Amino acid sequence: MDERPAASVWAVTTLEPPPTPNPDSAAVEHGEVLVCVDPRTGATTARIPVDGPEEVARSIAAARDAARSWAAATPRDRSRYLLRVRDRILERAEQLVETICAATGKQPAEAATTELMAVVETIGFYAEHAERWLRDQPVHPGSLLHKRAWKRYEPLGVVGVISPWNYPFTLAMTPVVTALAAGNTVVLKPSDVTATVGEEVRALFDDDEWPGLVRVVQGGAATGDALVRGGVDKIAFTGSARTGRLVMAAAAERLTPVLLELGGKDPMIVRADADLDRATRGAVWGSMQNSGQTCMSVERVYVDASVHDEFVERVVRQVEQIRQDDSGSGDIGSMTFPPQVEVVERHVADAVAKGARVLVGGGRLDRPGYWFAPTVLVDVDHTMDVMREETFGPVLPIMRTTSDEEAVALANDSRYGLNSSVWSADEDRAAELAARIEAGNVCINDCIVSYAVTGLPFGGVKESGIGRVHGAEGLREFTQVKSIMATRFRAPREPWWFPVPARLADLSIRTLRLRFGSTWRRRLGR
Ligand code: NAD
């Protein structure tokens, strides 16, 4: 079952239902206005008009106009511009943090690190490396020694970015900045749940220097769908696997390429020789930070039986001490999206009904807003949703294993494959296990933070996605490769042109034997 939150707590009224209705994300669309809510209190913070298909089409056209001159700018000029955007982020840092916290329920420390720091790093990274990675790359011409060949990385044109609510700044800005660094312009549709952060992104690019580089359109599924079908040159989508499927199907109509960064059910494997102090702190932070609403949260833990009880005892002690409040200086804040709280409740109830025990937490906090207590579950197994579906909340289920083999088999028993972690004092053994985990990313003796190494490509396998962000691979996601071949010498003709020489077949076979025959390989010892 692909379970995503149903929008049942919200009145959902759109003037025009989306062509591919997705009840999940039209959650705060009331008529033509997005009603933005502070999840810490439930108070309304803003009303933002929804953009219909006409506005989406106008934005794509404006971005296409801007694309010509932006593509013609040198990578160095583009980098200089991005660094000026970075300056604006730093100037407005406090205001950005405040907007992010009011939209998501995060703590300021979480917003400052996982949102601002991540974006500032990414801008600096591509400002430094984009020029080199976009340079023409020579290619050996193989047997055609009289040819010269090279690859050229060209911008795609206009990229449509669709982003989620859990890291509304980072996950909007990362594809936006990368697409710009590669010479594209962008139309961004931020999450309808955190539309106020989308307005901050709009303001960052609102200048006379390069008008139209980044257009922001607001709305839910219908606006996103209009963008996907609107004739952009690529869609960079971050969100649930369920919406990812809809996006890919809609994009298929025009054969628009897609980059999909989707959900996860990240496993954590703890071997008997692991440093339990570090591993338990890692498990607690990795499952609870951002109230568990991270695509690469630790969603399930497999602990060797010999250290299971001690591991659980330490985890429970630490979870009981988590400071969960809206003081601005706690460890975690509220959850963001009310339907997601329902998913968390359902997963805990399903686990308990099937025999799991709740050692700490287990339910909502009795206060306004969307608060769920940090929760630890034991005696869990793979019949339970909490071990198979994305929970996306502050819940840590811990399962006992009897061998590395069993732990790896359980880790791989998932349709997701985003991030994962192995904890062991034996780094070589951990690396062996890492190689066998079906995931796009693995951390050894840490979790989640591989994303912060901007040089490492990040993305999923299986239903966790297609394509990569970060690194050279992430930049080149927003380019098309043009392959160019030139003739070095001005010979009057090629040997295979008409009329085909009578001896061409014979000559070709002899040349092949000479170059690739086993006699030579044996003599050269290959
Ligand atoms: P979601 O799929 O509900 O929505 C994502 C975005 O898609 C929103 O902007 C939404 O308005 C838009 N949308 C909804 N229906 C659409 C449609 N039919 N066509 C086009 N756009 C549409 O996801 P969410 O609830 O906002 O985010 C949480 C999910 O995102 C989780 O599954 C999480 O794991 C995943 N996620 C993945 C990554 C990653 O990098 N792999 C990062 C963060 C979040």
Side-chain angles (χ1 to χ4, degrees), residues 4 25 163-165 171 189 237 239-240 243 261-263 295 390:
R4 293 291 303 150
S25 67
S163 54
W165 48 259
L171 297 173
K189 194 210 78 67
F237 171 83
S240 62
T243 311
E261 295 287 342
L262 308 178
C295 54
E390 192 176 39

Side-chain angles (χ1 to χ4, degrees), residues 505-523:
D506 184 40
L507 208 67
S508 303
I509 292 169
R510 279 214 242 160
T511 312
L512 288 175
R513 287 207 177 109
L514 197 65
R515 286 199 62 207
F516 305 111
S518 56
T519 324
W520 282 108
R521 268 211 320 277
R522 272 200 302 275
R523 276 190 202 161

Side-chain angles (χ1 to χ4, degrees), residues 173-216:
M173 286 293 282
T174 299
V176 166
V177 163
T178 317
L180 289 176
N184 306 279
T185 57
V186 176
V187 178
L188 163 70
K189 194 210 78 67
S191 170
D192 42 334
V193 182
T194 49
T196 47
V197 181
E199 290 304 305
E200 295 283 358
V201 174
R202 189 201 300 276
L204 284 175
F205 291 97
D206 185 15
D207 59 44
D208 296 332
E209 193 185 352
W210 286 101
L213 279 194
V214 178
R215 291 278 169 155
V216 177

Side-chain angles (χ1 to χ4, degrees), residues 361-437:
R364 291 176 193 246
L365 301 191
D366 185 18
R367 57 187 296 185
Y370 315 118
W371 299 80
F372 197 93
T375 297
V376 178
L377 297 173
V378 290
D379 298 342
V380 291
D381 62 42
H382 277 215
T383 64
M384 300 170 185
D385 288 346
V386 79
M387 296 301 276
R388 306 198 68 85
E389 305 297 328
E390 192 176 39
T391 305
F392 223 56
V395 177
L396 183 60
I398 304 170
M399 187 168 170
R400 190 188 300 266
T401 54
T402 50
S403 66
D404 287 349
E405 302 309 309
E406 188 191 12
V408 170
L410 287 166
N412 290 341
D413 179 25
S414 171
R415 57 202 169 87
Y416 293 110
L418 193 54
N419 211 334
S420 53
S421 61
V422 182
W423 302 70
S424 171
D426 181 345
E427 253 193 46
D428 292 341
R429 181 64 183 147
E432 274 170 37
L433 299 183
R436 290 169 51 198
I437 295 179

Side-chain angles (χ1 to χ4, degrees), residues 3-5 18-27 29 161-167 171 189-194 219-229 235 237-244 246-247 250 260-265 293-296 299 337 340 390 392 416 418 451 458-460 464-465 469:
E3 187 184 22
R4 293 291 303 150
T20 50
N22 175 3
D24 297 349
S25 67
E29 242 167 333
V161 171
I162 299 178
S163 54
W165 48 259
N166 61 331
Y167 290 92
L171 297 173
K189 194 210 78 67
S191 170
D192 42 334
V193 182
T194 49
T223 309
D225 188 72
L227 180 57
V228 175
R229 294 174 200 269
I235 285 289
F237 171 83
T238 310
S240 62
R242 177 170 163 185
T243 311
L246 293 176
V247 166
L260 300 178
E261 295 287 342
L262 308 178
K265 188 75 194 168
Q293 303 164 117
T294 302
C295 54
M296 31 176 184
E299 286 248 338
F337 186 38
Q340 195 66 47
E390 192 176 39
F392 223 56
Y416 293 110
L418 193 54
Y451 183 86
F458 173 81
S464 288
V469 294

Side-chain angles (χ1 to χ4, degrees), residues 86-124:
R86 186 174 72 174
D87 290 342
R88 283 175 216 157
I89 295 173
L90 295 173
E91 280 157 22
R92 299 175 199 181
E94 285 81 6
Q95 179 195 324
L96 281 167
V97 165
E98 205 176 301
T99 308
I100 294 167
C101 291
T104 59
K106 283 179 212 280
Q107 293 290 307
E110 289 178 316
T113 51
T114 60
E115 303 257 27
L116 256 53
M117 197 185 281
V119 172
V120 163
E121 282 265 348
T122 302
I123 293 177

